[in-house]
Amino acid sequence: MKQRLFSTARIIQHENPLGLPRSGSPPRFPTRGLPKQRRIRDVQKVIAVSSAKGGVGKSTVAVNLALAFARGGLRSGILDTDIFGPSIPTLLDLQGEQPRLSEKNQLIPLSNYGIKSMSIGFLVDQEAPIVWRGLMVTKAVEQLLHDVEWGGLDVLVMDLPPGTGDTQLTITQQVKLDGAVIVSTPQDLALKDAVRGIGMFRKVDVPVSLYSLGD
């Protein structure tokens, strides 16, 4: 397979915020109605890890969950969908690494500790602020969901950003989730936000488990 190093010095466009090379006409997106849920290519199961509240250890739980699947003999991966505060490159000791592109101009995940990973943190400078409006964030999430060549996974753990905003809505509308884990701490403020997160997943009929740290 021919691979090319992904370049971070690409022109940022609203329809292509990750700067992936394109051939032919740009895809047309429907202007009305909700997007249709679909499976991520070459991925059997998808589990979302959310917190609705920042700073409760969600990303750490997501990485350990992916590692546990890998140690159990499953082909495991993790997708970091936190555009503004990606943690996966640091947790997997992959800071400064850049993915390559396949022949189909798809991002090839980086691997460490036996799991594959993809994050916006691999595609931008570590210290560069990401100052994007909602449309850019949504398009970037869509590209992370559907423009990565996972090469066959039994399970993909998806590390969601805190809250119940645009990113969570995009994921729940576009991807068929097999389950969700809500991470919280025992404090009342964190638990109240966790309840909102549980409600979001229940609205789209996704089975939910609550994991409370320090309880």
Side-chain angles (χ1 to χ4, degrees):
M1 177 183 293
K2 181 181 178 182
Q3 298 181 6
R4 304 187 306 282
L5 185 64
F6 180 86
S7 173
T8 57
R10 297 183 183 275
I11 297 175
I12 302 299
Q13 300 173 337
H14 285 285
E15 291 293 339
N16 186 18
L18 299 189
L20 297 178
R22 290 287 185 259
S23 58
S25 301
R28 293 185 177 272
F29 296 94
T31 56
R32 292 185 180 180
L34 294 176
K36 185 177 180 180
Q37 285 185 332
R38 54 179 169 145
R39 288 285 181 186
I40 295 177
R41 186 172 51 237
D42 296 330
V43 175
Q44 296 298 317
K45 300 290 184 181
V46 179
I47 297 177
V49 179
S50 179
S51 65
K53 189 76 172 178
V56 297
K58 166 187 57 63
S59 296
T60 302
V61 171
V63 167
N64 280 296
L65 187 59
L67 289 170
F69 285 133
R71 289 189 177 184
L74 298 177
R75 296 171 298 171
S76 175
I78 186 165
L79 176 60
D80 187 352
T81 63
D82 193 341
I83 301 299
F84 298 111
S87 300
I88 299 306
T90 300
L91 290 171
L92 291 182
D93 195 23
L94 290 170
Q95 307 100 307
E97 300 291 334
Q98 290 185 6
R100 294 183 177 271
L101 293 172
S102 70
E103 290 181 333
K104 298 179 181 179
N105 288 329
Q106 298 252 304
L107 292 165
I108 298 176
L110 299 177
S111 297
N112 204 11
Y113 305 119
I115 61 175
K116 296 180 179 180
S117 63
M118 182 51 61
S119 169
I120 189 71
F122 299 144
L123 310 177
V124 298
D125 293 334
Q126 295 183 51
E127 298 180 0
I130 300 178
V131 188
W132 290 354
R133 294 186 182 274
L135 178 60
M136 291 276 286
V137 174
T138 298
K139 292 299 181 183
V141 171
E142 289 176 350
Q143 289 185 296
L144 288 173
L145 292 174
H146 303 300
D147 288 335
V148 177
E149 195 169 292
W150 290 105
L153 290 180
D154 295 311
V155 59
L156 176 66
V157 177
M158 200 174 291
D159 183 19
L160 272 61
T164 54
D166 287 346
T167 297
Q168 292 83 353
L169 184 61
T170 298
I171 290 170
T172 55
Q173 287 182 343
Q174 294 196 14
V175 178
K176 289 186 177 181
L177 299 175
D178 297 284
V181 176
I182 304 292
V183 181
S184 180
T185 53
Q187 290 77 21
D188 288 343
L189 289 176
L191 289 172
K192 287 180 179 179
D193 286 338
V195 170
R196 296 188 184 97
I198 292 173
M200 176 188 68
F201 286 111
R202 284 180 174 170
K203 282 187 176 180
V204 290
D205 298 322
V206 175
V208 184
S209 295
L210 176 63
Y211 184 73
S212 181
L213 295 173
D215 201 357

